[in-house]
Amino acid sequence: VTADQDGVVGVWKPDDRGRLVSICKHRKGRSAVTHVAFRTQDTRSPAGLGGAEAPNFYFSGEDGVVYLAGDDPSRCKEVLKMEGPDGVPSGTAVLMYHAEKDALVGINDHLIMTRAQGPDDAGNTSILATAKLSARAEDRMLALWAAPGLLLTSSSERLVRFWNLVDDDNYVLSIEDPKVPPDDRITAISYSESKRVLCAGTQKGYVVFW
């Protein structure tokens, strides 16, 4: 799946020679699409959204509207709108799929986290929870899964935030190495599941392990 700044989402598959062939295109609005997340645990029948050619996926961008799509443009539909205070539009900062719960986790530019499930067979999306997060909002937010239901984020800070969506808890890990300058900020994060090690890269070229 590809997306561009004009709001066009393309669905592709490789042919027998490994060349990408376009299946279809989606366009909802004219703002940039910045996030895509596959709905890997969608167990509904082929009569639902999508079909045999491509798995269903969510996409969203600068307008904060989340869509569910597959390989049929006529079945692309809006499932969620992430808004800021008083209903003002707010772009998407994070869009993650929680496979164990078949749920969607979105964070907008106003740092409001929304957890939703669906749509179901009737086309309905259920909002599971919303919460205002405590974090920096000025820069791009990094996010990844460290374990089922354990979301890690960082947004140009000296720390990584842990959001336990199962137990509804959160905590942080800070850079405490004195070799890292105090004004340095995290710009990349990665987690090794096999080694159970978290790694962060910084703006000034340091790599920190926990």
Side-chain angles (χ1 to χ4, degrees):
V1 176
T2 60
D4 65 25
Q5 63 182 4
D6 295 323
V8 178
V9 176
V11 182
W12 310 74
K13 72 171 185 177
D15 62 14
D16 294 338
R17 297 183 178 181
R19 296 173 298 187
L20 288 177
V21 178
S22 175
I23 299 177
C24 69
K25 292 182 180 180
H26 303 279
R27 184 163 192 168
K28 295 290 185 179
R30 295 187 176 277
S31 60
V33 174
T34 55
H35 294 76
V36 175
F38 279 102
R39 189 183 185 188
T40 57
Q41 298 301 313
D42 188 358
T43 58
R44 291 174 300 162
S45 69
L49 286 169
E53 293 287 353
N56 291 336
F57 59 91
Y58 300 96
F59 68 89
S60 187
E62 293 178 343
D63 59 4
V65 180
V66 181
Y67 299 91
L68 181 66
D71 56 14
D72 185 349
S74 68
R75 291 175 173 167
C76 177
K77 66 173 295 182
E78 178 182 328
V79 296
L80 179 67
K81 181 179 291 186
M82 295 190 291
E83 298 175 327
D86 301 322
V88 300
S90 185
T92 300
V94 170
L95 190 69
M96 305 287 285
Y97 178 67
H98 186 180
E100 291 74 19
K101 298 292 185 180
D102 186 27
L104 185 69
V105 180
I107 303 174
N108 64 18
D109 290 338
H110 285 83
L111 299 181
I112 298 175
M113 177 189 287
T114 302
R115 294 156 58 190
Q117 202 161 36
D120 57 18
D121 292 336
N124 300 317
T125 302
S126 301
I127 303 299
L128 304 177
T130 59
K132 181 69 168 69
L133 307 183
S134 173
R136 286 170 56 96
E138 294 83 1
D139 301 288
R140 183 174 68 93
M141 181 173 287
L142 308 170
L144 57 82
W145 293 111
L150 183 60
L151 182 67
L152 276 60
T153 65
S154 184
S155 52
S156 293
E157 303 171 281
R158 287 180 59 83
L159 50 83
V160 179
R161 300 179 185 272
F162 289 69
W163 310 98
N164 189 327
L165 306 182
V166 176
D167 298 328
D168 196 23
D169 192 13
N170 62 85
Y171 48 95
V172 301
L173 278 179
S174 300
I175 296 179
E176 298 180 352
D177 191 330
K179 297 178 183 178
V180 180
D183 60 342
D184 205 357
R185 296 292 180 266
I186 292 174
T187 56
I189 54 175
S190 185
Y191 179 72
S192 170
E193 185 175 355
S194 61
K195 298 294 185 180
R196 297 175 63 86
V197 172
L198 174 65
C199 174
T202 74
Q203 191 175 40
K204 297 190 175 182
Y206 290 85
V207 179
V208 183
F209 295 88
W210 289 273

